[in-house]
Amino acid sequence: MKASSEILLNATLVTADNQALTYEFILNENLSATECVCVRSLANGIVMPVPDFRESMKGTLFELNHVRVNPHLDNGEIIQSLTEALEDIGVEVFNQPGQNQMAICYRPLGELSENVRFFCESDGKIVFLAPTRHLRVIQSESKGPPSNVIKF
């Protein structure tokens, strides 16, 4: 089976007023975002591409909801890379499915010990964060995403 070179992250935009805006990112094998869409309605399949997302969303904080994989490809390597990136920030991954179960299961990554947040740098690299790191978040008034969006 051919190895997958991409994984999809579904995430919620973190805002000061707790709006529920959902985005999806396609990450490559280096865990850099190559595409981004805003999900307007998952039930109706309404998604809006985010043009120039690397600049417009740079530093914008998201909370990871779930991961999706291509069920027709071998996702083992990319899942392992993501697992290692999460373990590097102190997040434990439990109950990981076996390679032959990954394509059909609801949580191909497994279960996480913490909520994971992340932001995208201008080169597309995703930076993962965990609450246990005691990060300080500030609100930005800069142009780009809505002013209630939390940025670093």
Side-chain angles (χ1 to χ4, degrees):
M1 186 181 288
K2 183 179 175 187
S4 175
S5 61
E6 297 178 327
I7 195 166
L8 183 139
L9 298 186
N10 179 288
T12 303
L13 181 69
V14 177
T15 64
D17 59 359
N18 295 319
Q19 289 182 341
L21 300 173
T22 302
Y23 288 80
E24 290 187 337
F25 295 85
I26 301 291
L27 272 58
N28 63 18
E29 62 275 354
N30 299 317
L31 301 182
S32 291
T34 59
E35 294 180 49
C36 175
V37 297
C38 180
V39 179
R40 298 289 186 207
S41 171
L42 194 56
N44 295 324
I46 301 172
V47 296
M48 305 293 293
V50 180
D52 197 26
F53 73 92
R54 289 183 181 114
E55 279 304 314
S56 64
M57 305 297 269
K58 181 174 86 175
T60 303
L61 191 61
F62 295 89
E63 186 163 297
L64 178 65
N65 294 328
H66 62 267
V67 171
R68 287 201 310 254
V69 297
N70 184 334
H72 303 292
L73 298 175
D74 176 359
N75 298 282
E77 285 185 38
I78 199 156
I79 288 287
Q80 184 61 35
S81 294
L82 182 56
T83 299
E84 289 171 3
L86 296 176
E87 289 173 346
D88 286 347
I89 62 165
V91 174
E92 294 180 58
V93 180
F94 300 101
N95 299 321
Q96 288 186 282
Q99 182 61 34
N100 59 347
Q101 299 171 316
M102 194 177 297
I104 59 170
C105 72
Y106 175 67
R107 294 184 182 193
L109 182 62
E111 297 175 37
L112 305 180
S113 64
E114 311 246 3
N115 288 334
V116 173
R117 291 185 172 184
F118 65 90
F119 63 90
C120 185
E121 295 183 324
S122 59
D123 62 357
K125 187 72 177 169
I126 297 294
V127 177
F128 293 101
L129 312 164
T132 56
R133 297 290 187 196
H134 305 290
L135 300 170
R136 195 180 94 204
V137 178
I138 59 172
Q139 187 170 344
S140 172
E141 297 297 327
S142 66
K143 294 187 184 213
S147 62
N148 62 344
V149 172
I150 297 177
K151 298 185 77 118
F152 285 87

